[in-house]
Each structure stands twice: as structure tokens, then as C-alpha cells.
């Protein structure tokens, strides 16, 4: 069964942001209203929660990368 959204059938595919496969929604800028492309609903919600602010996205990435380093350090210690 094909699902329909406001702009036609809901396409399926890999999200260009998170690479997960599933339904894709039409993303748009909340400031300009201009369509940016199709992404998954989770990524679309995340962008909305950070209010379309790329600086916040970079801060979130920096925060998460701090813990990747900690995890890699712990794994090396365990494997030695």
C-alpha cells in the first residue's frame, strides 16, 4: 500500500543524514520556507529541535565526539 503525504506519495530510501532506510519526508527551512530535500522523520525532528541552527548541530557533534574518545580509550585499556 502506498502512503500519501501532503505533496504526494511518501518515498522510501536512505536518509542522506543518518543513512537509515525508511520513509522520507520533505524538509524545509523554518526561516525561509524553502524546501531543502527529503530526509527521515527522525532527522527532520532533530533539525527542528535545534531550531535549524548549524552552530548547535556542531556543538552537539563536538559533545558526542568527546565520548567517542573516552570509549576508544576504555576499549584500548581493556584489550591490553
Amino acid at each position: 500500500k502506498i502512503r500519501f503525504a501532503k505533496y504526494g506519495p511518501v518515498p522510501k530510501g536512505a536518509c542522506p543524514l543518518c543513512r537509515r532506510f525508511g520513509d522520507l519526508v520533505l524538509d524545509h527551512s523554518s526561516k525561509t520556507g524553502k524546501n531543502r530535500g527529503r530526509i527521515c522523520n527522525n532527522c527532520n525532528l532533530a533539525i527542528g529541535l535545534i531550531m535549524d541552527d548549524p552552530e548547535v548541530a556542531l556543538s552537539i557533534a563536538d559533545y558526542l565526539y568527546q565520548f567517542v574518545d573516552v570509549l576508544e580509550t576504555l576499549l584500548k585499556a581493556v584489550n591490553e
Side-chain angles (χ1 to χ4, degrees):
K1 181 177 178 181
I2 298 175
R3 294 185 356 183
F4 283 83
K6 184 176 180 180
Y7 300 104
V10 176
K12 286 191 176 283
C15 175
L17 304 180
C18 69
R19 297 178 207 82
R20 291 189 194 115
F21 186 84
D23 293 343
L24 301 177
V25 298
L26 189 59
D27 177 45
H28 72 280
S29 168
S30 59
K31 295 175 186 166
T32 67
K34 183 178 177 182
N35 291 336
R36 294 187 283 220
R38 293 199 179 266
I39 60 177
C40 74
N41 193 56
N42 285 341
C43 288
N44 194 36
L45 288 171
I47 289 171
L49 289 171
I50 64 167
M51 299 168 285
D52 294 17
D53 188 337
E55 291 298 319
V56 174
L58 291 172
S59 293
I60 291 169
D62 287 343
Y63 172 79
L64 292 174
Y65 274 119
Q66 291 176 32
F67 296 100
V68 170
D69 293 341
V70 169
L71 181 60
E72 287 175 352
T73 302
L74 289 171
L75 288 173
K76 284 181 186 176
V78 169
N79 290 325
E80 290 179 347

